[in-house]
Structures are given as C-alpha cells and as structure tokens.
Amino acid sequence: SAVISQKPSRDICQRGTSLTIQCQVDSQVTMMFWYRQQPGQSLTLIATANQGSEATYESGFVIDKFPISRPNLTFSTLTVSNMSPEDSSIYLCSVTGAGNTIYFGEGSWLTVV
Amino acid sequence: QQQVKQSPQSLIVQKGGISIINCAYENTAFDYFPWYQQFPGKGPALLIAIRPDVSEKKEGRFTISFNKSAKQFSLHIMDSQPGDSATYFCAALSMNTGFQKLVFGTGTRLLVSP
C-alpha cells in the first residue's frame, strides 16, 4: 500500500488568509486527488492533480479558490485561498496505488475562525 | 447517475451481532466497489473491495455481497466488536474510463455496544 503524509495535520486559520497543504507519497503514483470532507459529511472530490499540467477541477470547485500544484509523481499541494468559516473541513489527499487501489492520507483538519 | 445511495445513516449493534450496511448505484459503468472505514480523527482506510464479476467477497469478519442486476451491494460485519465502531463509506468508480474518480455514499455511523 502507498504511504501518504499530509502536512499540516491540523491548523486554525484566520478568515481571509490562505493555507497550503502538502501531500507526500512514498512511491511514484500516476493519479493523485484532493478531497474535502465537511464536518459529519461524506467525501467530495475537489480535483485531480495532474503531473505537468493544470489540475482538473470538479463542478463547484475553481482554481482561484483551490490552486493545486503537482511538480512530480510523489508530491502535490492544495492551497485553500481567502478562507471563510465555510472552508472548515478535512482536506484529504488520495492516490491510486498498486492494483488500482485508492488510498487516503490522514487528512488536514482546518478550522477557520 | 453518479450517486451512490447508502443506508442506514446510523446503526447500533450489540457486541457479537451482525452489522449490515447497504448501498445502491445507478451508473452501470461502475466496476469497482470499495468500502472505507473511518475512525474519528483519521482518514478513510480501505477495508474491502469487490468487482462485479463476483457476487461475494469475504475477508475475515467482513463480507461484501454484490447484486449486479439490482445494482446493489452491502457490507456485512460478522461478530461485531466495539472496536468496529466507526463511520463506513461505500464507494464506486469506473476503472475502465481511465479516470478513477471515486463516488462516495453518505456514510453510516456504526456503534457496537459492549
């Protein structure tokens, strides 16, 4: 299985600021994804992080709000821009590992005050 | 068509009992159906998964039953233990499209009472 490390694991942020979340995988992977899980809710895909090109965003998510980088096959970042309390969520990095199994990191728990 | 419907929303089972969580889907292109287990403060962990060419898959106390014609699949937890208390998510994706986007159910919060 792929080992996924996310930083920060938890943060409290001021309204109007931006925060960048890092995702590091212990092996090269083709597919990397970013999900959001709002309190008590299910997981929603934000975007697919494409290596060497722009991320592919799902409906309701835009690059200006959630810019994503993917400089290589083991690393990606997600920035949550101009945060509001509604952005308080768990942000999860996900990768496709061997056998096309999809794994998740432990998540980055953001609280916006 | 991209939805996966999951029930029940919450479930209380006595220790030693059987926990059953059900999911249904519409998109016949889905060909991979994983279940994830999430403990408070943790990310989702893959529990067990099934492909539609089999009707059942068992791993230890966890069994997935799959009914292709009804487009339904379910998770059975046998001999449920307090340590199984967690939120369970079913999911589905179409691997053949080459764009592996998981669609999640709404989650079931399971509590196994001692």
Side-chain angles (χ1 to χ4, degrees), chain A residues 17-32:
Chain A
T17 62
S18 299
L19 182 76
T20 296
I21 302 167
Q22 300 179 359
C23 176
Q24 179 74 54
V25 191
D26 68 341
S27 58
Q28 292 187 341
V29 294
T30 305
M31 309 290 285
M32 292 183 77

Side-chain angles (χ1 to χ4, degrees), chain A residues 2 16 20-21 32 35 40 43 47-48 58 65 69 76 80 89 91:
Chain A
T20 296
I21 302 167
M32 292 183 77
Y35 284 80
L43 289 81
T48 302
E58 296 300 305
K65 177 67 176 176
S69 78
S76 178
V80 186
S89 291
Y91 292 87

Side-chain angles (χ1 to χ4, degrees), chain A residues 33 37 42 58 100-102 106, chain B residues 36 38 43 46 95 101 105:
Chain A
F33 308 90
Q37 186 177 25
S42 187
E58 296 300 305
N100 290 319
T101 302
I102 297 176
E106 293 292 356
Chain B
Y36 287 87
Q38 186 176 31
L46 178 66
M95 303 186 78
K101 180 171 70 174

Side-chain angles (χ1 to χ4, degrees), chain A residues 26-112:
Chain A
D26 68 341
S27 58
Q28 292 187 341
V29 294
T30 305
M31 309 290 285
M32 292 183 77
F33 308 90
W34 287 98
Y35 284 80
R36 181 176 73 181
Q37 186 177 25
Q38 294 177 302
Q41 303 296 313
S42 187
L43 289 81
T44 301
L45 181 64
I46 297 172
T48 302
N50 301 308
Q51 196 264 329
S53 64
E54 264 193 15
T56 305
Y57 289 85
E58 296 300 305
S59 175
F61 297 96
V62 295
I63 187 171
D64 289 346
K65 177 67 176 176
F66 297 102
I68 288 171
S69 78
R70 175 120 188 246
N72 56 53
L73 293 176
T74 63
F75 186 79
S76 178
T77 66
L78 168 75
T79 299
V80 186
S81 304
N82 188 26
M83 285 184 285
S84 66
E86 293 70 36
D87 294 319
S88 297
S89 291
I90 308 166
Y91 292 87
L92 293 147
C93 175
S94 169
V95 305
T96 304
N100 290 319
T101 302
I102 297 176
Y103 300 99
F104 286 84
E106 293 292 356
S108 297
W109 298 61
L110 301 189
T111 302
V112 183

Side-chain angles (χ1 to χ4, degrees), chain B residues 1 7 13-14 18 30 41 44 53-54 71-72 75 104 109:
Chain B
Q1 253 217 337
S7 63
V13 173
Q14 286 201 335
I18 302 173
F30 288 144
D53 53 343
V54 296
K71 291 184 283 187
Q72 295 175 349
L75 176 69
F104 280 89
R109 188 169 294 183

Side-chain angles (χ1 to χ4, degrees), chain B residues 52-109:
Chain B
D53 53 343
V54 296
S55 60
E56 186 176 281
K57 183 175 181 179
K58 184 176 181 179
E59 290 184 3
R61 295 185 295 109
F62 300 92
T63 300
I64 300 179
S65 297
F66 185 82
N67 186 330
K68 188 174 181 178
S69 60
K71 291 184 283 187
Q72 295 175 349
F73 58 110
S74 60
L75 176 69
H76 291 63
I77 306 174
M78 313 300 288
D79 187 26
S80 299
Q81 300 296 312
D84 297 330
S85 297
T87 300
Y88 293 80
F89 293 97
C90 63
L93 69 83
S94 174
M95 303 186 78
N96 288 331
T97 63
F99 185 72
Q100 294 167 342
K101 180 171 70 174
L102 274 173
V103 178
F104 280 89
T106 49
T108 296
R109 188 169 294 183

